[in-house]
Amino acid sequence: FSCGVQIEDEKIVMSRYSGGGSSRGGVEGKIYVGDLPPDASEKEIERSFNYYGHLRNVWVARNPPGFAFVEFEDYRDAEDAVRALDGTVVCGNRVRVEPSSGKVRPKPWMRGGGGGGGELRGNCYEVGRCCGCGCG
């Protein structure tokens, strides 16, 4: 259809964009979905997001749970989904929906700070300087 509405397996996919600008490179088509319940399912997230365009990938975190990443084929569809779904209820929770930063976050046990610094100190020693954990 020229307006971007397609019916796939009895679901409607509404994209304002047909072909062209699928990506500007980087992570423009990838969005972060936060504050999900621990039992959020990939299918539920797909149902909420595929209205805005074709999905390339949906990944739901399990350990720790509570967030997911949704990747659209076209970055403009991702932008539409962020505007429309941020603050709405998905999988029974009011969620945060924002563009993915593309940054890899450190694991909680790799961060500096108090508590059980044994491994952390070993890592500091290996890199030759303190990471801020207070070991030296």
Side-chain angles (χ1 to χ4, degrees):
F1 298 89
S2 62
C3 66
V5 176
Q6 297 179 346
I7 299 176
E8 297 178 352
D9 301 326
E10 298 182 29
K11 65 182 175 190
I12 295 176
V13 176
M14 180 68 186
S15 174
R16 294 189 302 151
Y17 316 100
S18 55
S22 64
S23 178
R24 295 186 295 196
V27 295
E28 285 89 358
K30 192 173 189 179
I31 58 180
Y32 166 84
V33 184
D35 299 330
L36 287 167
D39 62 344
S41 78
E42 187 176 316
K43 291 290 181 197
E44 286 178 283
I45 294 169
E46 283 176 4
R47 275 194 292 270
S48 297
F49 285 85
N50 70 8
Y51 173 80
Y52 297 94
H54 292 281
L55 303 180
R56 182 174 289 151
N57 188 37
V58 175
W59 181 83
V60 181
R62 294 290 171 222
N63 189 18
F67 68 97
F69 289 99
V70 177
E71 189 174 2
F72 285 84
E73 290 182 7
D74 191 303
Y75 72 90
R76 296 167 297 186
D77 292 331
E79 291 170 351
D80 289 346
V82 168
R83 279 192 293 276
L85 294 174
D86 186 35
T88 63
V89 175
V90 175
C91 299
N93 279 15
R94 185 170 304 279
V95 295
R96 286 184 301 135
V97 180
E98 52 196 50
S100 174
S101 67
K103 294 179 182 174
V104 176
R105 309 244 188 252
K107 305 287 187 246
W109 58 88
M110 298 291 284
R111 292 186 197 133
E119 283 186 47
L120 218 39
R121 291 176 193 195
N123 290 341
C124 287
Y125 181 76
E126 288 173 18
V127 296
R129 65 183 183 281
C130 181
C131 66
C133 67
C135 71

